[in-house]
Amino acid sequence: MEENIKIGRNIIKYTKEHESVCRHADSVRVGLYDELGVKRGLRDKNGKGVLTGVTNISEIIASDIVDGKVVPCDGQLWYRGYNVMDLVKDFGFKRFGFEEITYLLLFGDLPNAEQLKEFKDILGSLRTLPKNFTRDIIMKAPSQDIMNSMTKSVLTLAAYDGNVSDLSIPNVLRQCLSLISIFPMLAVYGYCAYNHYECDESMYIHRPDPELSAAENLLRMLRPDKQYTKLEAQVLDAALVLHMEHGGGNNSTFTTRVVSSAGSDTYSVMAAALSSLKGPKHGGANLKVMQMMDDIRENVTDYDDLEKLDYYLTQIVDKKAFDKAGLIYGIGHAVYAISDPRARVFKEFVEKLAKDKDRQEDFKLYSNIEKLAPEVIGRRRKIYKGVSANVDFYSGFVYNMLDIPVELYTPIFAIARIVGWSAHRIEELINVDKIIRPAYQSIMEEREYIPFKDRQ
């Protein structure tokens, strides 16, 4: 293997010997992690996370204790003591829930009508960027990676804040509310810049309407004619609520806690969380689902042929089809075994939108894969717990039906999850005055120093 790596004006040859040296220096012997009792990924062999803190913001339940044994159960997700399924079913297709559940996660209680109106007015008034920010920051150096564009914008916004480093709770809350309000603008404007300068498409920048919900504004700003249906906005609103928060142990929320514990400012914390979320193992999962589904459609044309669909899913698991990674994307979760409650409650929204968009055949394909995939994985893999469809299995399909470009799939996740990040940042600042600093066991061996003139 030989590869030329360009650094500035210099070309460096990277050879097989370089690769070998790097791997020799950094490789750890197989089995050593188990011998030292290291919880790789901060999880034990059964997938249970290492306890690193406590939270009153949300809870995930994926198992019961029966006769002294841990038994998987239908998954549950709770926000501030309320079952998420109850929350979503309550606002459902009747009203928009993003602002209401944001209030709940930040302040700990459900708002009454007067409190909710005041809160919506506050968020609406904050949907504005500094003068010329869109032109001078977002439009400069546009990128296909909208998460990077958002991170750049968030860090730059710190320069416009006269109290950037003030860690008092009122100030941090002000900063969080501002970022929650403008994240849709950063995402959509970042995409519009990329779409114009890199894809040679038309440029349009729509200002948000302070009277509309986050979901309505997102669709309004994204579409050239600003038009959307109530159903479209309701389904997107449900997706945002279901992605807002997830127990505190996920990678980006833990990142929020870690950076907050160091005493860093809100903008730096949220930039770090964005950097974590953009990883394909975290926030980019729904895009992999969409790519996989396109591949399945090319190879299985009859969506009612369960035998052929089962066979092709088996090929995927056996690393003989799609990307040969052996994964059916959107199936399985680090915590949930029997079912992901977010996927269960979201499926009703997905089905209704599919019917409205005349995409029932696609919905049938998704439903059949949701049914068959756990059986296929169970046959071909040794698994310690059950697997089921997670929320990412359906979210990409919804975004596709809403004509949202794939470049915005992960940014939409961020638009929702910043609410949870904000709640956890505030909780960390209130309760814990100690920097998070885990330990690593060194396996380095001491060596005798060799003077430069004696080195071979």
Side-chain angles (χ1 to χ4, degrees), residues 1-7 10-26:
M1 180 197 77
E2 184 172 304
E3 182 180 353
N4 290 332
I5 302 175
K6 186 176 181 181
I7 303 178
N10 301 313
I11 302 294
I12 298 176
K13 286 188 180 298
Y14 185 77
T15 67
K16 190 172 183 179
E17 181 180 356
H18 292 122
E19 174 81 6
S20 177
V21 168
C22 287
R23 289 191 176 275
H24 175 73
D26 294 326

Side-chain angles (χ1 to χ4, degrees), residues 166-211:
D166 178 1
L167 298 186
S168 67
I169 300 305
N171 188 61
V172 170
L173 178 61
R174 172 189 64 83
Q175 294 169 331
C176 289
L177 289 174
S178 176
L179 290 174
I180 289 169
S181 300
I182 64 177
F183 255 40
M185 301 170 70
L186 300 183
V188 173
Y189 294 173
Y191 172 75
C192 289
Y194 157 73
N195 195 42
H196 176 66
Y197 291 109
E198 302 295 329
C199 302
D200 295 326
E201 297 293 340
S202 298
M203 167 70 78
Y204 48 87
I205 297 294
H206 302 321
R207 297 185 186 278
D209 184 337
E211 299 297 320

Side-chain angles (χ1 to χ4, degrees), residues 221-233:
M221 291 188 293
L222 182 60
R223 295 180 173 176
D225 61 2
K226 305 181 185 178
Q227 300 302 305
Y228 56 88
T229 68
K230 185 176 181 180
L231 176 62
E232 288 178 320

Side-chain angles (χ1 to χ4, degrees), residues 56-58 79-82 87 99-112 115 119 173 419 423 426-427 430:
N56 194 37
I57 297 168
S58 65
Y79 290 172
R80 296 288 190 180
Y82 297 99
L87 293 172
E99 290 74 18
E100 182 178 339
I101 309 306
T102 296
Y103 185 101
L104 170 66
L105 286 174
L106 291 178
F107 301 113
D109 290 310
L110 287 168
N112 59 33
Q115 290 169 330
F119 188 61
L173 178 61
V419 177
I426 292 170
E427 189 179 58
I430 289 174

Side-chain angles (χ1 to χ4, degrees), residues 141-413:
S143 170
Q144 181 179 5
D145 192 326
I146 310 305
M147 291 293 281
N148 278 355
S149 173
M150 292 177 70
T151 302
K152 176 189 69 175
S153 294
V154 168
L155 288 172
T156 307
L157 281 168
Y160 294 82
D161 189 336
N163 294 315
V164 61
S165 298
D166 178 1
L167 298 186
S168 67
I169 300 305
N171 188 61
V172 170
L173 178 61
R174 172 189 64 83
Q175 294 169 331
C176 289
L177 289 174
S178 176
L179 290 174
I180 289 169
S181 300
I182 64 177
F183 255 40
M185 301 170 70
L186 300 183
V188 173
Y189 294 173
Y191 172 75
C192 289
Y194 157 73
N195 195 42
H196 176 66
Y197 291 109
E198 302 295 329
C199 302
D200 295 326
E201 297 293 340
S202 298
M203 167 70 78
Y204 48 87
I205 297 294
H206 302 321
R207 297 185 186 278
D209 184 337
E211 299 297 320
L212 299 178
S213 69
E216 291 173 298
N217 266 311
L218 204 159
L219 293 174
R220 181 181 186 275
M221 291 188 293
L222 182 60
R223 295 180 173 176
D225 61 2
K226 305 181 185 178
Q227 300 302 305
Y228 56 88
T229 68
K230 185 176 181 180
L231 176 62
E232 288 178 320
Q234 288 172 328
V235 174
L236 180 57
D237 177 70
L240 293 175
V241 169
L242 291 170
H243 283 85
M244 270 186 179
E245 162 61 6
H246 204 239
N250 60 82
N251 195 283
S252 58
T253 302
F254 186 59
T255 297
T256 301
R257 292 272 194 171
V258 170
V259 183
S260 291
S261 78
S264 195
D265 66 88
T266 300
Y267 302 94
S268 297
V269 168
M270 296 309 174
L274 282 166
S275 299
S276 167
L277 187 70
K278 69 168 288 190
K281 294 181 181 180
H282 191 5
N286 52 24
L287 185 54
K288 291 295 292 186
V289 174
M290 295 300 294
Q291 294 168 348
M292 178 189 72
M293 296 301 291
D294 287 340
D295 177 76
I296 291 174
R297 289 188 187 93
E298 291 178 4
N299 291 275
V300 182
T301 55
D302 184 357
Y303 300 163
D304 289 314
D305 191 341
L306 300 186
E307 185 176 342
K308 189 168 184 179
L309 187 55
D310 185 291
Y311 170 78
Y312 196 72
L313 291 174
T314 302
Q315 293 291 98
I316 291 176
V317 172
D318 288 345
K319 301 182 179 182
K320 296 178 181 177
F322 184 43
D323 62 358
K324 298 180 173 58
L327 300 173
I328 300 179
Y329 294 96
I331 304 295
H333 190 271
V335 180
Y336 300 120
I338 304 299
S339 66
D340 180 339
R342 301 168 300 172
R344 296 206 313 272
V345 72
F346 195 38
K347 191 171 182 178
E348 178 184 353
F349 291 85
V350 180
E351 185 174 14
K352 193 166 185 176
L353 185 64
K355 184 177 181 180
D356 182 73
K357 298 289 186 180
D358 197 23
R359 297 282 296 272
Q360 293 100 320
E361 283 299 303
D362 280 319
F363 182 75
K364 180 192 297 182
L365 176 61
Y366 274 82
S367 296
N368 286 338
I369 291 174
E370 180 185 8
K371 176 183 177 181
L372 292 174
E375 300 174 5
V376 172
I377 295 171
R379 288 198 309 264
R380 312 302 287 192
R381 289 278 187 273
K382 183 178 180 180
I383 53 178
Y384 61 84
K385 64 180 181 65
V387 293
S388 60
N390 59 52
V391 69
D392 287 321
F393 184 69
Y394 283 110
S395 62
F397 180 36
V398 163
Y399 302 153
N400 178 262
M401 288 192 287
L402 294 174
D403 294 320
I404 293 173
V406 294
E407 291 86 356
L408 283 174
Y409 284 15
T410 307
I412 288 176
F413 196 161

Side-chain angles (χ1 to χ4, degrees), residues 441-455:
Q441 175 65 53
S442 175
I443 58 172
M444 178 191 71
E445 296 180 357
E446 293 186 13
R447 295 185 290 176
E448 184 179 349
Y449 178 75
I450 303 173
F452 184 75
K453 62 182 180 62
D454 297 330
R455 296 175 203 164

